[in-house]
Amino acid sequence: ADIERKFSAKTQFKRPELSQIKLTGIIFSTEKSADNYAVISDQLLRVGDQIMGFKVKAIRPNSVILKWENQEFILELWQEERK
């Protein structure tokens, strides 16, 4: 019975830290969205790809929208460094 309760309990996952994810480049096509890519943490990603638990929802000319569960986060290409 204890095992059943452990598996039936909804597990809460902690959101990964956005500070660990760096957007360093965007390849953006106005003609075909399938040709849009984002360079995030040294990985070339397209819409639908995942990185560190986040899903790439949209790639814009200067930003990328990431989704985690029901939350959306915007990564700006030219963010100022926080000190």
Side-chain angles (χ1 to χ4, degrees):
D2 288 333
I3 293 174
E4 287 177 21
R5 272 187 252 144
K6 286 181 184 177
F7 286 107
S8 65
K10 185 174 181 181
T11 305
Q12 294 292 323
F13 293 103
K14 185 179 177 188
R15 177 179 58 83
E17 278 297 318
L18 278 173
S19 62
Q20 297 176 5
I21 298 176
K22 304 288 183 206
L23 174 63
T24 56
I26 292 175
I27 301 167
F28 190 83
S29 171
T30 56
E31 296 176 17
K32 286 176 49 179
S33 63
D35 291 338
N36 295 343
Y37 293 89
V39 181
I40 302 175
S41 299
D42 298 325
Q43 294 184 41
L44 189 62
L45 302 171
R46 296 166 55 166
V47 171
D49 290 344
Q50 292 198 20
I51 183 161
M52 295 180 63
F54 291 93
K55 185 173 185 176
V56 178
K57 182 178 179 189
I59 299 173
R60 297 177 175 167
N62 295 307
S63 63
V64 173
I65 298 175
L66 299 179
K67 186 171 184 176
W68 184 79
E69 293 188 350
N70 292 327
Q71 299 176 329
E72 291 184 358
F73 304 90
I74 298 175
L75 294 179
E76 299 283 338
L77 185 57
W78 301 114
Q79 283 185 339
E80 289 184 28
E81 289 291 321
R82 293 184 185 144
K83 296 181 181 179

